[in-house]
Every structure is written in structure tokens, then in C-alpha cells.
Amino acid sequence: MILDRKKYWQFLEDELKAETEEFKKKYLTTAISLLQDKDEMFVAQFVKFKDGEMIMKFPVTRALPRKGEFLVCMVLPPLLQSYRNWGNRTYRDLYKERSSSTECVCIWTQPSDDKRIALVGFSNVSLDFANFIKEYPGLILTFGPQHPPIDYVMNLQRLVEQKNWPSISSVLDSDYIRKEWEPNLIKQDYVSDFVYNQLCLSDTMILEGPPGTGKTYMIAELCARLCAEGKSVLVTALTNRALMEIAEKLAVKEMLEDGKIFKTNITLDEQKECKSLESIKNISPMPSCLVLSTFYIASGFAADLSIDQPFDYVIMDEASQALLPMFAASRKMGKKNLWVGDTKQLTPIVTLNDDIITYNNYKPIVDGLYLLAENSSSPVYQLTTTRRFSQRSADYTGFFYSGTLIANNLPKPNDIPSLSSILSPDGGPTLIFTDMPSGNKTPEFATMLAAYIVGCILHDNAKKDIAVLTCMRKTTKAIQKAITQTVGAHKNVLIDTVARVQGLTTDITIFFVPDYSYIRTLEPHLFNVATSRAREHTIIIADKYVLDFSTIDKNVRRYLETLKKEKSIYVPDPDHGLGKTTSTLDYQRSIGEHFVLKITK
């Protein structure tokens, strides 16, 4: 199977159009509708900057931004700072009226002394914007949806058009064969030494890293060794967070202090977090130095290159989330390549729907790491020792990895007595069945059940890091409202879609599965990500008939059927999922009876 350059270019063109069209719908929607009906715009009051974070006051009567949600923050003219004066203006109309703006990301929420108000912190705020507003505490700011990353797609298009580069051709013009494959298992302790030796034998290595197996730690160790030998190294990843985690590892501390680690697009909070990190405007190879840059920026550097392979080594982290042309960019940038990812977890997020991808045979382009692993001329290796889980957790996650995971972590004592009746003393997953209306993305009783469980955890241990995950934004927003209104906003509670949290580690995960399109909500890659985030416990909330559906993936089914027999509980909805006739207080009382507990308010 040879995918010609026209196919690559057309895929990227179709993706570009889809991204533009989807954003255009929001851009031309009335701003008041995005604020009041769709929870995609927000109005809040600026408080101050602290430790590089922008702190805002939000009313709890409307949905709050989700942690990890990227937004555009704008200063509007005084008249338009009140949403009551927006009239029929669209998001585009308001954007044109802005006097200053920045992209930013929500990083925490917490309650304030006033129960009507929640405090929300944002990072990634530009220095220019910060300087513009810092003298105006109390200023009303408006937040809207982030613009799509069209530059990334356009950079990859430019690479696809470059036909006379052997490095690019080695990825884009190969004859690919779809076949079954199994990775070679790495069971030794010093993984970075093993990877170093393999890269001495081959120009490219693919490394599978299941959850919690120390991928970032290994990359940092390898970078330190290569740079000590005078090599130039570029590490590129989908997210800035993945790059910062490498910069913060102990293995590169001396390099950091010596000013030998550089990063593109350093933000105000990254500068506060890692003071010795050097800023670099344009990517450039430097002997004995490490450069960190996202796919979005590195793809532009690769497209502009007039010389082949200027870096000695290019390491792609989060490689399972890279489109196939990004691997061509990696080859063009580096003489030797290490691609680190997990083909059992999330593939790249694209706007094109699955039907178009299937009809046009775009799947190999989207799922690039898997295609390259199938056709690798050298062995593909997999890490096996996980430091995140107890062995019980590793055994369940191991359903997706042929039972190859070995835990190097003991289960922690159960410090959540309210839930002792349902949580395993050995850590790992618990399955809670309830009644959910079929086709309803926001089942009210189940949503209250999730909020109640969060309240139990916080009541017993207010410092626990909790992630509440779903597969759909509408479900996420409903759960966020329920949690905010019953237990308040908390810095250590993340409520988000599964697609946005690969790489996350938390203490406890609640995975909420509504009775809606199980092909989507129990998709195996998403399910694996959702159920492998927690160090201690994963609580899955699903409809009592979920296993009756034949469309569930075999590994997901095996996971759920095993868990149903071993550790599950049924919490019935007093209304049997038929609609709300019961008060919130009665819901809580009913839930409490099944958990045999009381929560002191």
C-alpha cells in the first residue's frame, strides 16, 4: 500500500476545511447564545496575577471553564464588558471589538468566601496581555473558544509538497503492509541505557510506553547522556505540558542550571515554574544542548529547513498523537529518531468524522505510529514495569497489553473510609451500575451519583487529586455543574473529556459512561486512557445493562465482565432512569443508603 502525496495533501486539506468550518459555526453564533445556552463563552472579573497565574472571579450560576480548556481571553470596550449589552452580536463581532487578547488555559478552580463566586486560575497568558491588564483589578474580561491549530496542518501540507527529500520520502513514499505485530518486551531496570544502545545500531527506534512506565523519566535520562556527549537534541511533543515535565526531571537538573535547556514560546507561568529554562525564538541545533518544542512549532521549522537533518537526535514524545506527515518532519530534522508513544491509547484528534476517514482511506495517515510500527525494519520495543499502579490495577490495564504489565508500586492504605465498602484494599477499579435513560448524555441521577462520590472523597481527604472523565463535552458540562453546585469548585478536582487527558496522573479517577453510543463512549483507546490515570482507585459509573450490547470491544468487555464479578455494586435510581420526580436531597439520601454512610455538610 503506497499512499501518494496527493492523498496526504487532500487529507490535510479536508482536515483544514473541517477545522475552519467547525470554528466558523461558533464564530458566527450570537455571543449571548454561546454564553447562556452552550457554555462556550464566559464573563469573569480579573482579580490579580500570582506566581504567573491569572486569577479570575466566576459566578457559579453558570458553568465554569473546564480545567485544561484552552480559551481566548479578551478585553472589550467598557459598554460590551456587560453581556447584557451584547444584543445580537456574534463572537466574531466581539472579537473585532477587543482592545487586547491572549490565549490561555484554565488550570484550577476553587471556592471563594462568597458561595456565589468561584475563583479560577489561568496559565499560558502572554506577557503583553498581562502587562496590559495587571493595573486594573476588577476589570471584566470575556472568554471565548480557541482558534483551531490551522498553522500545524498547513506546515504538514508544505512538507508533503517537498518531493526531493530522501528523509521525507522514507516515511511518505514507503510501501506499507497492514499486518499483526507484537512488541519486544523490555524488562531491565536501566531502560535509557538499552534505548541508547539500540539507537547506536539503528537510525530510528519505536518505543511503546504503556501507562505509568516512566517514559518521561527515560527520555530525560537519555537527553542528559546524549548532551553530555556533545550531541544536539530536539524533543518535540503535542503539548507544552509534556515538554515541561521533561525539563523538570532530576536527570537534566544540571543541564537546566547550566543554561543548556531551551524552549520555544515560554509563557509567564512556565518562566515562574522553571526559572533557569532558556527561551528560544527559533529552533536551532546547538551542541550539548536540549531544545524543547511542540509539534505545531517544530513542523514549521521542518517545513522551512533548507538542509537535511540538522539535529543529531530528534525525540518525539506523545508520538501516538502525531499524524503520519509529522514523522516525516521528525526524519527531516534529525539524523537519529526515537519515537515514544502508545498505540493502545489515543490517536491524533482530528475534526474529520470517522465516515469520511474510512471512505477516503485516511486511517493510516491518522494512525501514523501504528502504521510505522507494523512496518518497522528494526524491532519495536515495549516498556513493561509500571510505577503508577498496584498490581491489581496493572492486571486490569494489562488486558490491553496482553497481560505484560508488572507493577512496581504497593497499594496505599484506604484513607477514604466513606467508600471502604466499595473500594478494593488492593487499589484499582470498581464498577458502579445504576439506571440511565437510553440515549441521554446527561442522566440526572447518575450525575448526582458522581457528584456525591466526589463529595465523599473530599470529605474524607480534601487533598486527594480527583479526575472525573467522560467522552462527551455535554456530559462533562453537566457533571461539572452538579459537582460545583453540590460540593463547590476545588483546585484538585479535574472534570474533562478523556480525549484531553492523556499523560494525566491522578489519585482517583471517576469514569462516567452514559447509555449513549457505546461504540463511542466505550471506544477501547479512550477506555484504556480513562481507566489508567489513577494511582489508587478508578470508579466506573455505567448503566446496569451496559454489557448487554454486542458492539463493545472485546478487551473492554473482558475488563468490565471481570470487574462485574470481582468488584461491583448496583445503586438504583429511585425514578428508574425515567426522569426527575425526586428532589436532589432525596437523591442524595438514596445514594447514601446504598453506600451506608453520612456526609457532614
Side-chain angles (χ1 to χ4, degrees):
M1 176 185 65
I2 297 177
L3 300 168
D4 62 49
R5 299 293 182 99
K6 289 182 181 178
K7 173 75 76 173
Y8 291 110
W9 192 93
Q10 191 59 55
F11 160 72
L12 294 166
E13 183 69 11
D14 290 347
E15 175 63 15
L16 194 62
K17 289 178 180 176
E19 288 181 0
T20 304
E21 285 300 316
E22 183 177 271
F23 183 73
K24 186 178 178 181
K25 292 175 185 176
K26 297 179 183 179
Y27 212 39
L28 298 181
T29 299
T30 59
I32 199 69
S33 174
L34 291 174
L35 175 75
Q36 295 183 334
D37 301 328
K38 300 181 181 296
D39 299 327
E40 293 192 57
M41 289 191 75
F42 310 90
V43 174
Q45 187 176 42
F46 171 59
V47 179
K48 61 182 177 181
F49 281 97
K50 183 179 180 182
D51 298 328
E53 300 172 358
M54 182 173 69
I55 301 174
M56 304 290 301
K57 287 182 179 179
F58 279 75
V60 297
T61 51
R62 290 193 294 271
L64 301 177
R66 292 173 288 128
K67 277 193 280 188
E69 183 173 8
F70 284 83
L71 297 164
V72 173
C73 179
M74 304 177 287
V75 179
L76 297 179
L79 180 65
L80 295 178
Q81 287 176 19
S82 171
Y83 67 87
R84 293 178 179 85
N85 297 326
W86 288 356
N88 291 323
R89 289 179 176 86
T90 63
Y91 176 25
R92 181 178 67 176
D93 294 333
L94 294 185
Y95 189 76
K96 286 181 176 180
E97 295 274 1
R98 77 196 189 286
S99 53
S100 183
S101 64
T102 181
E103 290 192 349
C104 60
V105 58
C106 174
I107 55 173
W108 56 261
T109 61
Q110 70 176 37
S112 68
D113 295 335
D114 184 344
K115 292 184 178 181
R116 298 169 300 174
I117 297 295
L119 297 177
V120 180
F122 292 87
S123 65
N124 283 33
V125 177
S126 71
L127 291 171
D128 288 343
F129 185 83
N131 290 331
F132 185 85
I133 71 164
K134 66 182 180 181
E135 303 300 329
Y136 301 99
L139 184 66
I140 302 299
L141 302 178
T142 301
F143 295 80
Q146 183 191 34
H147 293 67
I150 60 174
D151 288 346
Y152 175 47
V153 179
M154 293 172 69
N155 290 338
L156 296 181
Q157 269 191 324
R158 289 197 289 136
L159 276 159
V160 165
E161 292 168 347
Q162 297 174 7
K163 297 184 179 180
N164 298 319
W165 293 80
S167 54
I168 296 176
S169 182
S170 67
V171 174
L172 299 186
D173 302 327
S174 293
D175 187 1
Y176 290 111
I177 301 171
R178 304 312 301 256
K179 59 187 178 184
E180 294 295 322
W181 60 278
E182 292 292 336
N184 293 273
L185 305 181
I186 303 176
K187 297 183 179 180
Q188 66 186 70
D189 292 333
Y190 300 103
V191 177
S192 61
D193 290 345
F194 178 84
V195 173
Y196 175 89
N197 291 329
Q198 290 302 311
L199 286 170
C200 290
L201 301 173
S202 175
D203 289 342
T204 301
M205 177 181 176
I206 297 175
L207 180 63
E208 288 271 306
T213 50
K215 299 184 290 290
T216 305
Y217 181 81
M218 181 279 300
I219 290 172
E221 282 196 328
L222 181 63
C223 289
R225 180 169 181 176
L226 294 173
C227 290
E229 295 178 355
K231 306 299 185 183
S232 58
V233 182
L234 168 67
V235 176
T236 183
L238 180 70
T239 62
N240 282 293
R241 184 65 255 163
L243 299 173
M244 289 300 294
E245 286 180 3
I246 292 169
E248 293 164 0
K249 287 291 182 280
L250 183 62
V252 296
K253 182 180 179 182
E254 187 175 338
M255 286 182 61
L256 187 66
E257 292 172 347
D258 291 342
K260 292 184 177 181
I261 303 183
F262 297 80
K263 184 179 181 297
T264 56
N265 279 22
I266 294 180
T267 60
L268 185 64
D269 53 296
E270 289 173 349
Q271 195 175 61
K272 294 278 187 181
E273 183 180 347
C274 207
K275 292 180 180 178
S276 299
L277 189 62
E278 298 287 338
S279 177
I280 184 172
K281 186 173 182 181
N282 298 309
I283 296 174
S284 177
M286 294 170 279
S288 302
C289 291
L290 171 62
V291 177
L292 307 172
S293 188
T294 61
F295 292 165
Y296 306 108
I297 298 173
S299 61
F301 168 73
D304 291 336
L305 273 177
S306 58
I307 60 171
D308 205 17
Q309 300 178 324
F311 278 90
D312 295 316
Y313 287 81
V314 170
I315 300 172
M316 286 180 64
D317 194 9
E318 301 180 328
S320 57
Q321 297 186 64
L323 298 168
L324 188 59
M326 187 61 209
F327 292 93
S330 179
R331 280 261 177 88
K332 187 182 178 185
M333 292 186 289
K335 297 177 182 67
K336 288 184 177 286
N337 283 259
L338 172 63
W339 298 332
V340 184
D342 184 354
T343 56
K344 304 295 185 181
Q345 296 209 352
L346 294 181
T347 56
I349 298 171
V350 295
T351 306
L352 287 172
N353 67 48
D354 290 340
D355 291 339
I356 293 175
I357 289 172
T358 301
Y359 179 79
N360 291 286
N361 192 29
Y362 289 157
K363 182 67 173 174
I365 304 175
V366 175
D367 203 353
L369 184 63
Y370 193 89
L371 183 71
L372 292 166
E374 283 181 315
N375 292 270
S376 178
S377 59
S378 56
V380 176
Y381 292 95
Q382 181 202 307
L383 303 172
T384 58
T385 301
T386 174
R387 294 166 177 81
R388 180 181 299 167
F389 306 135
S390 66
Q391 188 58 53
R392 181 174 179 269
S393 296
D395 290 342
Y396 274 94
T397 298
F399 287 148
F400 297 95
Y401 301 94
S402 303
T404 59
L405 298 187
I406 302 167
N408 188 16
N409 187 22
L410 295 174
K412 296 184 179 178
N414 186 0
D415 52 1
I416 314 171
S418 296
L419 302 180
S420 61
S421 62
I422 68 164
L423 299 179
S424 170
D426 297 321
T430 295
L431 180 56
I432 299 180
F433 291 113
T434 189
D435 303 295
M436 294 188 184
S438 179
N440 188 340
K441 297 180 185 179
T442 59
E444 187 163 6
F445 177 77
T447 302
M448 287 299 303
L449 175 59
Y452 191 85
I453 292 171
V454 171
C456 291
I457 298 167
L458 293 175
H459 175 265
D460 289 347
N461 193 326
K463 294 183 179 180
K464 286 291 183 188
D465 288 325
I466 306 168
V468 185
L469 306 177
T470 74
C471 290
M472 290 170 288
R473 283 180 290 183
K474 186 173 182 180
T475 313
T476 301
K477 290 174 182 177
I479 294 174
Q480 183 187 46
K481 279 186 178 179
I483 291 175
T484 302
Q485 291 172 2
T486 55
V487 301
H490 295 266
K491 275 188 175 183
N492 53 321
V493 179
L494 170 70
I495 307 162
D496 210 338
T497 55
V498 181
R500 297 169 59 90
V501 300
Q502 184 159 305
L504 171 75
T505 300
T506 189
D507 293 326
I508 298 173
T509 295
I510 299 170
F511 180 35
F512 188 96
V513 186
D515 184 358
Y516 179 89
S517 181
Y518 286 128
I519 292 177
R520 180 180 176 189
T521 55
L522 290 178
E523 194 278 330
H525 292 83
L526 291 169
F527 185 91
N528 184 21
V529 171
T531 56
S532 61
R533 301 302 93 204
R535 300 181 190 93
E536 300 172 18
H537 301 282
T538 296
I539 300 169
I540 303 169
I541 301 175
D543 183 70
K544 64 183 178 183
Y545 296 120
V546 63
L547 286 167
D548 290 352
F549 289 82
S550 60
T551 55
I552 299 175
D553 169 81
K554 63 179 182 180
N555 287 325
V556 175
R557 179 175 294 281
R558 185 181 172 201
Y559 186 116
L560 292 174
E561 286 179 344
T562 304
L563 189 55
K564 178 182 178 180
K565 294 175 184 176
E566 193 225 344
K567 199 66 182 174
S568 65
I569 184 176
Y570 171 53
V571 181
D573 175 0
D575 299 327
H576 308 291
L578 299 177
K580 182 178 179 181
T581 59
T582 305
S583 69
T584 298
L585 184 61
D586 286 338
Y587 270 160
Q588 292 177 333
R589 187 179 297 114
S590 175
I591 295 167
E593 288 172 357
H594 283 84
F595 282 83
V596 196
L597 50 85
K598 279 188 178 179
I599 299 298
T600 304
K601 298 240 177 187

